[in-house]
Amino acid sequence: MNSIDETKMLKYLALYDNPFLYQKTGFIFSEYQRELGISDDFIKICKDRCGNSKRYLTSGINNPAYSGEWKLVYPKNIKRIKNGGLEDAAI
């Protein structure tokens, strides 16, 4: 898998300047940090700019979990979700 161009990602995030985008991006990238080759510095920038609001990653979460680190409610089985549903092997 190719690594993410962090400089480009930060540029796009800065254009929107939206704490919720930093929060969601930082959370997802931290979950897949090793697989995507994301640096600790990138994660820290997202944390610093995500604000203090508690939010939902997406609507309609059936089996929720909460990340206190990111102040985000997310699907507990997030790593088994593919194309909007659970992977066949997980069913």
Side-chain angles (χ1 to χ4, degrees):
M1 176 179 284
N2 295 334
S3 62
I4 301 293
D5 185 335
E6 295 178 14
T7 303
K8 280 186 182 179
M9 282 299 300
L10 289 172
K11 179 181 173 184
Y12 290 124
L13 287 168
L15 285 172
Y16 286 98
D17 194 26
N18 182 319
F20 190 27
L21 285 178
Y22 282 104
Q23 189 177 24
K24 290 196 302 186
T25 302
F27 170 75
I28 291 170
F29 281 16
S30 69
E31 288 291 303
Y32 294 94
Q33 187 172 4
R34 272 186 292 186
E35 295 92 334
L36 296 174
I38 302 297
S39 72
D40 290 339
D41 290 338
F42 182 90
I43 301 297
K44 182 180 181 335
I45 289 169
C46 288
K47 278 184 190 172
D48 291 346
R49 297 180 185 170
C50 75
N52 291 317
S53 297
K54 294 178 183 174
R55 299 181 176 100
Y56 286 81
L57 180 63
T58 185
S59 61
I61 298 173
N62 293 325
N63 193 7
Y66 179 72
S67 169
E69 178 180 10
W70 290 99
K71 300 177 191 87
L72 200 65
V73 177
Y74 65 95
K76 186 179 269 186
N77 55 358
I78 192 165
K79 287 203 169 185
R80 293 190 347 231
I81 294 175
K82 183 176 181 181
N83 296 328
L86 288 177
E87 292 178 335
D88 293 340
I91 296 175

